[in-house]
Amino acid sequence: MYHKAVETGQIISFEEYYPTQKKWFEVTTYPSANGLAVYFKDITSRKEIDARILEANERFEKVAEATNEAIWDWNIIDNTIFRGKGFTTLFGLDSTGANLNLEAWSDHIFSADRHRVLSTINEAINNPDVKVWEEEYRYEKGDGKFAYVLDRGIVIRDRQGKPVRMVGAMQDISYLKEHEQHLKALNAVLNK
């Protein structure tokens, strides 16, 4: 890179790991008629943070893949929602769409459940004492059918207590609801 800077006369920046010092440096070369000026900036901390962020993201993605739940992360400030692959697996819905926001999620809530669910989520994020939100409701799948879901979320607040994010998971509990209905029907028959 030093030779290239001298040959082309262009300022060149690059990052390099120096194993003898166990440090990362951002190196910038400034060629001139008199030679080459080289500036080193220690970026080891930034590289370590980047590696930790990458590891945390990989961990999150693997946990999302390993569970039978649809993982979500709602950025309340930007009104954007990240949806894990479970939304595709469980509900047949796109998990990579660009227009994923609260409305895209709430549009799939069964109309008779929608007001209750939105009211409880608003109560949760607006009450600084609430950390966990949980609700059961019917959720429309990609094929137009409805699944019963148990949805749980953790409210993440800034230092002033203002809600900034909510992270959670939706679990398809349709089989439990069907089983519950069968038991109720059986009880009705037995009580006659």
Side-chain angles (χ1 to χ4, degrees):
M1 294 304 245
Y2 300 131
H3 291 287
K4 183 178 178 181
V6 170
E7 291 168 8
T8 63
Q10 294 179 336
I11 298 171
I12 295 179
S13 291
F14 58 95
E15 295 176 356
E16 191 69 36
Y17 181 71
Y18 288 80
T20 55
Q21 295 185 351
K22 297 181 181 175
K23 291 189 178 212
W24 278 92
F25 289 96
E26 180 180 76
V27 182
T28 306
T29 60
Y30 296 91
S32 69
N34 298 331
L36 187 67
V38 180
Y39 292 91
F40 295 88
K41 179 179 179 185
D42 185 347
I43 59 168
T44 306
S45 295
R46 187 186 81 201
K47 284 292 200 177
E48 289 170 351
I49 290 169
D50 288 348
R52 280 190 235 131
I53 290 171
L54 180 61
E55 185 179 307
N57 285 340
E58 287 174 350
R59 185 181 311 114
F60 176 78
E61 287 176 14
K62 294 305 174 192
V63 166
E65 285 179 34
T67 183
N68 287 329
E69 297 181 351
I71 307 294
W72 52 268
D73 184 345
W74 174 31
N75 181 324
I76 296 170
I77 306 296
D78 297 339
N79 190 27
T80 56
I81 295 179
F82 163 83
R83 295 197 303 201
K85 293 178 183 175
F87 277 87
T88 303
T89 307
L90 292 174
F91 306 118
L93 297 172
D94 179 22
S95 60
T96 60
N99 295 322
L100 297 178
N101 55 31
L102 186 65
E103 292 74 30
W105 163 73
S106 65
D107 285 347
H108 285 271
I109 299 173
F110 187 68
S111 58
D113 298 338
R114 190 174 298 131
H115 177 72
R116 172 181 49 85
V117 172
L118 291 175
S119 291
T120 61
I121 204 166
N122 280 321
E123 287 171 16
I125 64 174
N126 290 319
N127 182 344
D129 296 328
V130 174
K131 292 179 176 56
V132 178
W133 168 81
E134 182 176 307
E135 199 63 56
E136 283 185 22
Y137 57 92
R138 290 163 285 185
Y139 193 74
E140 185 180 17
K141 301 191 303 184
D143 63 6
K145 295 179 182 174
F146 283 87
Y148 279 94
V149 298
L150 173 60
D151 201 350
R152 294 183 182 111
I154 304 289
V155 181
I156 300 169
R157 301 178 187 282
D158 64 14
R159 291 178 191 227
Q160 289 76 36
K162 180 181 174 191
V164 292
R165 284 179 53 214
M166 194 168 178
V167 179
M170 290 172 65
Q171 183 179 19
D172 186 344
I173 59 168
S174 299
Y175 67 96
L176 291 173
K177 288 295 188 180
E178 289 171 14
H179 186 66
E180 181 182 296
Q181 289 171 355
H182 289 298
L183 288 175
K184 284 180 181 178
L186 182 60
N187 276 338
V189 169
L190 292 173
N191 286 331
K192 284 185 179 184

